[in-house]
Amino acid sequence: MPSPSSVTVRPAPGFPAPRGGSGRVLLLPGLAGGARIWQPLAARLRGTCDVYEAALPWNSGGRPDWALSGDPVAALGAAIDGVDGGRCDVVVAHSYAATLALHHLARRPAGPPPALMLISPFYRAHPTDFEWSDITYYLNDFHRILEAGLTVRSGGRVSGELLRDLGARLREVIGPYGWMRFFDAYLQTASLDLSAWPGPVVVVAGADDFAARPSDAEALSRHLPHAVLHVLADCGHFPMAERPDEVAALLLAHCLPTRDQELR
């Protein structure tokens, strides 16, 4: 169940000994995501900062009953607080986790705000931005999002009938309750007040993302006071794996500018 007690945070593979100081980066995967999807980005950050990953209830290999009760936003907050005694400098959240991060922002957590990189967020600014066709699209085509993730994680080695079978199996693991958690969080973004968030935010979207459409990222960047938007051409729902060099450069330049200057 998504509660703070079910969250664990650890250094990412290849980052066994945090060095302390500035540059603590937490990677948060989306629904049914996992550590593998972050490996290309993490490889580009090696030697520049400390990188952590969180085992969240809705990630690949998590508990199948996570969606039945509990508070996913509180679980995400616990992951952020679990980085080096609550001293997280940058939160990098993807897809569903990016949307949950928006809910976390709206709760005005105490303490100095971390910098944020929100990758492929699901966001609508107003309730009227949702239509019945959105429910049909995200329900009936949900498997396509899962298949896209499997394709990226496998480096394109999984395709055809096997890809469709694995996507359908993963959809069954997530189940109706998991999908409802995702879509409810998406719907509720239209009621969030993000205007007072004081920290820097980088919003990253893929121009070819058919899941979290670039228009969502564009709307979000207009409603966060310190946000910068980057839409990457020839990129889908997983920029951190599809375009890791550019995402790493954006993170260092906007979220860890001191580290970026030291490397020049």
Side-chain angles (χ1 to χ4, degrees), residues 28-219:
L28 299 175
L31 188 61
R36 182 177 298 179
I37 203 69
W38 294 107
Q39 288 177 355
L41 175 61
R44 273 69 173 181
L45 297 176
R46 198 161 289 127
T48 67
C49 52
D50 298 333
V51 177
Y52 296 80
E53 62 184 25
L56 293 161
W58 55 83
N59 294 161
S60 175
R63 292 180 52 144
D65 62 349
W66 72 269
L68 298 180
S69 64
D71 184 353
V73 179
L76 181 138
I80 296 172
D81 291 340
V83 175
D84 197 13
R87 295 180 295 172
C88 183
D89 298 302
V90 184
V91 174
V92 184
H94 175 247
S95 192
Y96 177 58
T99 302
L100 292 180
L102 296 176
H103 289 268
H104 180 66
L105 267 60
R107 295 183 182 184
R108 307 289 190 274
L116 296 172
M117 174 174 275
L118 303 176
I119 301 177
S120 306
F122 292 91
Y123 175 80
R124 302 288 173 93
H126 304 287
T128 55
D129 292 339
F130 285 101
E131 299 179 352
W132 283 107
S133 59
D134 291 313
I135 298 177
T136 301
Y137 180 80
Y138 285 103
L139 180 62
N140 295 333
D141 288 341
F142 188 52
H143 64 284
R144 293 180 59 210
I145 303 174
L146 304 177
E147 290 173 8
L150 291 167
T151 299
V152 171
R153 288 199 294 270
S154 70
R157 293 187 296 274
V158 177
S159 60
E161 185 175 351
L162 176 59
L163 177 63
R164 291 189 292 273
D165 288 345
L166 291 175
R169 189 180 308 169
L170 186 55
R171 182 181 60 186
E172 292 305 309
V173 170
I174 294 170
Y177 283 91
W179 183 88
M180 286 293 293
R181 286 281 189 167
F182 150 71
F183 201 72
D184 183 61
Y186 192 7
L187 287 171
Q188 294 304 319
T189 58
S191 63
L192 297 178
D193 180 8
L194 306 173
S195 61
W197 183 253
V201 183
V202 180
V203 182
V204 179
D208 301 328
D209 191 345
F210 64 85
R213 294 162 175 163
S215 57
D216 282 26
E218 292 163 0

Side-chain angles (χ1 to χ4, degrees), residues 231-253:
V231 179
L232 304 180
D234 301 317
C235 183
H237 189 57
F238 300 89
M240 64 284 200
E242 299 174 59
R243 305 289 285 277
D245 290 323
E246 291 173 67
V247 174
L250 290 171
L251 190 153
L252 290 172

